């Protein structure tokens, strides 16, 4: 049986995508943007979508609604002459899953990393996201380690 065809378009995130991206990140489990943090969060988003060392992409459905988000950062690592591509955030809305949206976002991220000359692509994903892990494995990604974290200060927010 053939998979449903993805009805999405992947494009660079724009400033106007802030609310949609924030909603996706909150659904992923990130901290909620509140009235008190709104302007700081908007400023960070604006800065990051303009950063040449980060590519933020969204997937739109056939109605033009943002249904997926991928954050791709380029960073240097010791003992490597070229950059590593790192995806700290990738999320597709519940209603758009299993339609190729995540696959399209990941393939575009990989294309951009190869184009930039990166030696490696790494992605962070929570243990509870087993469905997403199946997608990553289908794209020949391997589970190679663990990630440990610790909140600092007031939940990492200033």
């Amino acid at each position: 049986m053939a998979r449903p065809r993805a009805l999405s378009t992947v494009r660079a995130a724009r400033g106007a995508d802030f609310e949609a991206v924030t909603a996706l990140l909150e659904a992923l489990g990130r901290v909620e943007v509140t009235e008190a943090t709104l302007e700081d969060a908007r400023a960070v988003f604006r800065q990051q979508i303009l950063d040449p060392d980060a590519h933020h992409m969204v997937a739109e459905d056939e109605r033009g609604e943002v249904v997926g988000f991928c954050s791709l950062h380029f960073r240097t690592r010791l003992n490597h002459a070229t950059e590593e591509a790192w995806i700290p955030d990738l999320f597709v809305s519940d209603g758009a899953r299993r339609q190729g949206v995540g696959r399209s976002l990941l393939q575009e991220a990989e294309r951009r990393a190869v184009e930039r000359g990166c030696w490696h692509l790494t992605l962070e994903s929570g243990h509870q996201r087993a469905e997403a892990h199946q997608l990553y494995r289908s794209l020949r990604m391997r589970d190679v380690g663990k990630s440990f974290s610790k909140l600092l200060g007031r939940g990492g927010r200033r």
Side-chain angles (χ1 to χ4, degrees), residues 3 30 35-36 57 68 86 90 94 104 111 129 140 144 148 154 156:
R3 292 182 65 136
R30 298 292 185 265
E35 190 174 315
M57 298 159 280
W86 169 52
L90 172 66
D94 287 343
S104 294
R111 185 194 69 73
R129 301 197 61 226
R140 301 179 63 199
V144 295
F148 296 88
R154 294 178 298 149

Side-chain angles (χ1 to χ4, degrees), residues 21-142:
V21 169
T22 297
L24 286 169
L25 291 174
E26 289 173 358
L28 177 61
R30 298 292 185 265
V31 161
E32 181 181 342
V33 173
T34 65
E35 190 174 315
T37 62
L38 179 64
E39 288 312 310
D40 287 341
R42 191 182 303 277
V44 168
F45 183 76
R46 197 174 309 121
Q47 180 272 328
Q48 287 213 359
I49 63 173
L50 297 175
D51 183 349
D53 292 326
H55 291 192
H56 298 292
M57 298 159 280
V58 296
E60 292 181 328
D61 66 13
E62 67 279 359
R63 296 177 311 274
E65 292 182 33
V66 173
V67 295
F69 174 70
C70 178
S71 178
L72 174 66
H73 296 256
F74 302 101
R75 59 188 184 179
T76 56
R77 302 295 297 259
L78 292 175
N79 300 334
H80 288 281
T82 60
E83 295 170 310
E84 174 183 54
W86 169 52
I87 299 173
D89 297 307
L90 172 66
F91 191 72
V92 175
S93 67
D94 287 343
R97 292 192 182 148
R98 292 177 220 73
Q99 297 178 30
V101 175
R103 179 176 297 275
S104 294
L105 285 164
L106 272 174
Q107 287 172 331
E108 179 61 15
E110 183 175 342
R111 185 194 69 73
R112 290 174 183 224
V114 167
E115 183 177 271
R116 188 157 164 142
C118 294
W119 68 275
H120 186 249
L121 174 66
T122 187
L123 177 145
E124 291 182 7
S125 183
H127 291 289
Q128 74 282 8
R129 301 197 61 226
E131 184 179 344
H133 301 167
Q134 290 176 348
L135 168 63
Y136 308 150
R137 287 185 191 98
S138 78
L139 291 169
R140 301 179 63 199
M141 298 182 90
R142 296 182 312 127

